Amino acid sequence: MRELPIIINNEENFSLVEITHLKKWFPVQQNFLDQILAGHIDHVRAVDDVSFTIKRGEAFGLAGESGSGKTTIGRLAIGLEKPTAGKVSFDGIDLSSLCDEDLRKLRRRMQVIFQDPMASLNPRMCLGDSISHGLKIHYPESAAEHRDITLSIMEKVGLTPPHFFFTKFPHQISGGQRQRVVIARALITNPDLILADEPIAMADVSVRALLLDLMVQLKNELNLTYLFITHDLATAKYICDRIGILYLGRMAEMGDLREVYGYPLHPYTQALMAAVPVPDPHKRRTQIMPAGEIPNPINPPPGCRFHPRCPIAKGVCSKDEPELRELRSGHLVACHFAEQFL
Ligand code: SF4
């Protein structure tokens, strides 16, 4: 069988992930008969022309409301979905050029931390077997070492003593410990990229900060690259170096996290920022989230997709779609009138 060329480029500014003009449209009428009866095919435009890069060792956040397309982009980024158009490159390799077998081999370098650990762990498998499952798939030749590698990863993520946890089952441990198991399972193949999809959303508030600290510590120790998906800007602040704000399948704003949080230039980002709770009872929010729901992605509004909810929309906003423009160094925004916030 042909071996997949593994090129590991450790240059500091090397883009480990490159997403270029990515689109993912899902047909609403799934089967041929429905398409004939409807006379046309409607599409849910989950992702509609999104581009960004993630440097090696960087944590890139994707934030937005439900339905903004962030989870679909995550799945496309690691090859779990095929794009309708556009390109995803990982370490210089175009994922669309790989056969299923090569993609499977490359996946040991791209692992996932899912939102709900209870749903993603097999209830009949002990924790040690769940964590080491990736080793059995990708490194069957080194079976004699699997137990020691698994115990060492369990210790690294705080499942101590590891021998005690190895034989436990998911229902016998707490929610925070289950999330540590999922993190250990993602690390077991020594990946470069971790897709973390709302990784602490199901954890108790009391352990969220501990889990985020653990993720930051592991990133620094193992030079991991994160694609961190969240609806919560307060969470992204702990872990991300750069962030992209998505709205209805398009990038509204993108840049260095401190830059975007310090100088939000898009009215949607400003609304999301205003909704972040402040730990000071004397400070009140000056703004609330824009009125209304995120529009239907089957038939997005013309022009700027945010215009039906935007407090500063003008006539041009419902006609011309704004381009993503760089208004400050490395800080891009898709709004016709963002200059007024400079
Ligand atoms: Fe609001 Fe217009 Fe800017 Fe869109 S382009 S965010 S509608 S001001």
Side-chain angles (χ1 to χ4, degrees), residues 17 47 71 138 164 195 285 288 297 322:
V17 179
V47 181
T71 293
H138 294 293
F164 171 78
L195 165 63
R285 293 177 199 163
I288 54 166

Side-chain angles (χ1 to χ4, degrees), residues 26-44:
F26 295 99
V28 176
Q29 295 88 2
Q30 295 282 346
N31 63 52
F32 186 63
L33 183 62
D34 287 345
Q35 289 169 10
I36 296 282
L37 291 174
H40 61 277
I41 307 175
D42 292 316
H43 289 93
V44 173

Side-chain angles (χ1 to χ4, degrees), residues 20 33 37 40 49 69 116 126 145 198 205 209 249 283 307 325:
T20 315
L33 183 62
L37 291 174
H40 61 277
D49 199 1
D116 183 355
C126 73
E145 297 160 43
E198 305 271 14
V205 175
K283 283 192 180 165
H307 87 258
R325 301 175 290 142

Side-chain angles (χ1 to χ4, degrees), residues 23-78:
K23 287 187 182 183
K24 182 67 186 179
W25 292 12
F26 295 99
V28 176
Q29 295 88 2
Q30 295 282 346
N31 63 52
F32 186 63
L33 183 62
D34 287 345
Q35 289 169 10
I36 296 282
L37 291 174
H40 61 277
I41 307 175
D42 292 316
H43 289 93
V44 173
R45 301 181 193 190
V47 181
D48 211 2
D49 199 1
V50 168
S51 302
F52 63 91
T53 58
I54 312 177
K55 290 192 215 110
R56 182 180 292 284
E58 182 178 56
F60 184 87
L62 276 178
E65 292 168 277
S66 298
S68 59
K70 50 194 190 304
T71 293
T72 305
I73 293 177
R75 293 176 62 81
L76 290 161
I78 61 167

Side-chain angles (χ1 to χ4, degrees), residues 266-268 304-307 310 312-314 317 322 334-338:
H266 196 286
Y268 179 56
C304 173
R305 295 178 180 201
F306 189 55
H307 87 258
C310 180
I312 62 162
K314 296 185 174 58
C317 300
C335 171
H336 294 305
F337 300 106

